[in-house]
Amino acid sequence: MSKSRITRFSRTPSPALMTFAVIALTILTATGGALAQKASTAIPENARMKSYGSGWECKNGFREDNGACATVKVPVNAYSTNKSYGRGWECKRGYRETGEQCNAIRIPANAYLNATGNRWDCNRGYRQDGERCIAIHVPKNGYLKDDSYGSGWGCDRGYRAEGNACVAVTVPKNGYFVDESFGRGWRCERGYTANGEACTPIKLPANAHLDYSGNDWECDRPYQKRQDACVIEK
């Protein structure tokens, strides 16, 4: 091949050819982007584009399952929630979910279906014991409580619970009755402290005074309590 022909084929492309190449590349890029966008917005059957954000969601009565929208199978004694998330159904009142079924709630004697409709509570005068409601036995000098937990009963004023009975509260000398369902049922007057079943006088050491309760003592400032005395640390 001659030197003149080699020079002709290695010549720089003409401006027209370069313009054509740029246009062709632009078209290919735009086409590829459009195809990619179309692919990204493709939605499966029984789905729709989200009203906000991007992506798609299943229509009512369907739920997402591995990139598709499967029909929600509503079991007997259930209803469709018309939601695309979750299982898509709920049990009717008086029924409870068990796996993929809704089974009737068994209500024992002396009980009722509560307001939520998915469990039962015992009638007043009864308390739950496992899957049944047993009668609350109120002792003498006691009364029935409105709550269904615990013993279900309390003692009248002047009595306190001991086991399954209500016993009279005996207030010692220099003591007074307190209406509480716990503790002894009495407290000592100010200046006295409980000692077993009695109220004994508080012996104040030097540089001490009764505390806020009136049933114990503490040291004056700057003294500090050391056993039964108030001392100044050296």
Side-chain angles (χ1 to χ4, degrees):
M1 183 179 293
S2 65
K3 183 177 180 181
S4 60
R5 293 187 67 182
I6 293 175
T7 302
R8 184 170 61 251
F9 282 107
S10 61
R11 186 181 304 166
T12 302
S14 64
L17 183 59
M18 292 183 65
T19 301
F20 175 77
V22 171
I23 294 174
L25 181 60
T26 302
I27 294 174
L28 288 174
T29 302
T31 303
L35 291 174
Q37 184 177 6
K38 183 177 181 180
S40 64
T41 57
I43 60 176
E45 187 178 0
N46 300 314
R48 61 179 173 230
M49 294 297 297
K50 290 184 177 180
S51 57
Y52 58 90
S54 60
W56 53 269
E57 61 185 1
C58 294
K59 296 179 180 178
N60 293 340
F62 298 87
R63 63 179 176 179
E64 185 177 352
D65 184 16
N66 294 325
C69 290
T71 302
V72 174
K73 296 179 181 179
V74 181
V76 178
N77 299 315
Y79 61 92
S80 174
T81 60
N82 290 325
K83 295 177 181 178
S84 59
Y85 55 87
R87 60 176 174 262
W89 55 268
E90 295 287 347
C91 292
K92 294 180 179 178
R93 176 178 171 79
Y95 293 85
R96 183 180 296 151
E97 177 191 351
T98 305
E100 294 298 320
Q101 297 180 340
C102 289
N103 295 329
I105 297 174
R106 179 184 172 277
I107 302 176
N110 303 306
Y112 61 93
L113 189 67
N114 70 2
T116 63
N118 58 11
R119 63 182 297 265
W120 53 267
D121 291 327
C122 294
N123 294 331
R124 190 172 188 274
Y126 295 82
R127 62 184 176 85
Q128 185 175 350
D129 181 24
E131 294 300 316
R132 61 177 183 159
C133 292
I134 60 176
I136 296 173
H137 298 288
V138 181
K140 184 180 179 180
N141 300 312
Y143 62 91
L144 187 66
K145 287 185 175 181
D146 289 331
D147 50 58
S148 59
Y149 55 87
S151 64
W153 55 269
C155 292
D156 295 334
R157 180 178 173 84
Y159 294 84
R160 64 180 178 182
E162 285 190 7
N164 294 321
C166 290
V167 298
V169 175
T170 302
V171 180
K173 184 180 180 181
N174 299 313
Y176 61 95
F177 173 78
V178 289
D179 192 8
E180 296 176 342
S181 58
F182 54 90
R184 325 180 158 84
W186 56 267
R187 294 177 186 170
C188 293
E189 299 285 357
R190 180 177 174 81
Y192 294 83
T193 185
N195 187 4
E197 293 299 318
C199 289
T200 57
I202 296 175
K203 296 179 181 180
L204 289 176
N207 303 307
H209 60 272
L210 292 176
D211 65 7
Y212 72 95
S213 70
N215 302 125
D216 202 351
W217 59 271
E218 59 187 12
C219 295
D220 300 338
R221 292 192 297 267
Y223 294 88
Q224 294 184 350
K225 191 173 185 179
R226 290 292 181 270
Q227 296 182 348
D228 294 328
C230 291
V231 300
I232 294 180
E233 295 289 345
K234 295 182 179 180

